[in-house]
Amino acid sequence: MTDTPPAFILVRPQMGENIGAAARSMLNFGLDHMRVVAPRDGWPNERAVALASGAGRVLDAAMLAQDTGAAVGDCSFVFATTARDRDLTKPVYSPEAAMAEARARGLRGERVAILFGPERTGLENDDIALANAIVSVPTNPAFASLNLAQCVLLIAYEWRRACAAQVPVSTAMAGTEWATQAEVSALSEHFERTLDTAGFFWPEGKAPAMKRHLRNLWSRLPLTRADVQTFHGMMRQMVRWKERG
């Protein structure tokens, strides 16, 4: 299956530090195709290398372009990231929807590009006019401007989500496994026997309901085998302590 990842195009970036941080963000999420349009401080940029922190290969392979048109020339679909209303009629995608579209097109072998504007002003209308669609991040309307590297990180994260199914919640088992029903039942019986000996189930008429409540409690707990062993050990130690007393 053909899989063409998108190109992240930094248009007229002003700070080398942001270029380096953007490269690091891209590589964090499996992207390495960067293009840089007319960087203010020239190219290559030592500050970008310093901030890339292990992602220098993204900078080494980055394409340098003199203008936005040249940077997107080989792309079949272009997204422009902008937080401001523009006097241009274009479809507006959420970051999630945009990267899902980029993924679908990439699987067909198409080259998709995402434009990111300079830190101070963002993309100009002439840049956005070259794009097929806009990506709009749902930021605070009273403070909508994102740092360049932050915006790259956010879009790269959505790209990664589009590429790999993510489990919403998982549990790190720390070398153990979930307890079986038989193991939980044995634990419940251990507690019932010990508590019965200690006179916990009183008065006698309420004992069946109390035991049922206790069994229900154990069944609700997500116990691991290590948890079960710990509870058994606690109960045995309390009995030994009582016997020594």
Side-chain angles (χ1 to χ4, degrees):
M1 180 183 293
T2 302
D3 189 356
T4 306
F8 276 36
I9 302 178
L10 311 187
V11 179
R12 297 181 297 279
Q14 297 170 299
M15 298 177 62
E17 291 86 347
N18 276 332
I19 301 173
R24 183 176 182 180
S25 297
M26 288 174 61
L27 198 56
N28 280 153
F29 296 104
L31 291 161
D32 58 8
H33 194 125
M34 174 184 282
R35 301 180 182 185
V36 184
V37 176
R40 183 190 66 183
D41 296 333
W43 194 259
N45 187 297
E46 291 183 1
R47 293 179 180 175
V49 174
L51 265 291
S53 187
R57 67 184 181 88
V58 176
L59 300 179
D60 292 340
M63 168 186 162
L64 179 64
Q66 293 304 309
D67 57 52
T68 306
V72 301
D74 64 338
C75 300
S76 61
F77 199 90
V78 179
F79 288 103
T81 60
T82 181
R84 293 185 291 170
D85 291 332
R86 303 288 185 162
D87 189 23
L88 296 167
T89 300
K90 290 185 185 293
V92 179
Y93 287 67
S94 69
E96 180 179 14
M99 291 304 96
E101 179 71 18
R103 174 64 171 166
R105 289 176 176 273
L107 289 172
R108 297 197 296 266
E110 297 182 37
R111 172 68 76 188
V112 175
I114 299 93
L115 301 177
F116 300 87
E119 295 88 330
R120 188 174 63 84
T121 60
L123 292 169
E124 297 178 357
N125 281 350
D126 286 345
D127 300 311
I128 298 173
L130 299 174
N132 302 96
I134 288 172
V135 182
S136 181
V137 178
T139 54
N140 174 8
F143 192 64
S145 179
L146 285 173
N147 171 272
L148 171 58
Q150 290 176 326
C151 191
V152 169
L153 176 67
L154 189 153
I155 301 299
Y157 166 72
E158 292 294 351
W159 164 258
R160 189 67 174 181
R161 288 186 64 213
C163 291
Q166 300 295 311
V167 178
V169 179
S170 62
T171 301
M173 297 303 291
T176 187
E177 299 175 346
W178 292 116
T180 65
Q181 290 297 316
E183 290 166 336
V184 175
S185 179
L187 176 65
S188 177
E189 291 171 4
H190 185 183
F191 265 71
E192 283 188 23
R193 289 194 308 270
T194 307
L195 293 172
D196 205 5
T197 301
F200 176 77
F201 298 112
W202 188 91
E204 186 175 345
K206 292 186 177 181
M210 295 173 71
K211 291 180 180 180
R212 184 167 55 250
H213 178 76
L214 185 60
R215 288 193 294 270
N216 187 52
L217 182 151
W218 291 121
S219 71
R220 292 202 316 270
L221 294 177
L223 295 170
T224 66
R225 287 180 169 174
D227 296 331
V228 168
Q229 292 167 2
T230 298
F231 277 118
H232 278 302
M234 290 166 57
M235 187 57 70
R236 286 192 294 266
Q237 186 59 31
M238 285 191 287
V239 170
R240 294 191 191 105
W241 174 78
K242 177 63 176 177
E243 292 172 347
R244 285 199 301 269

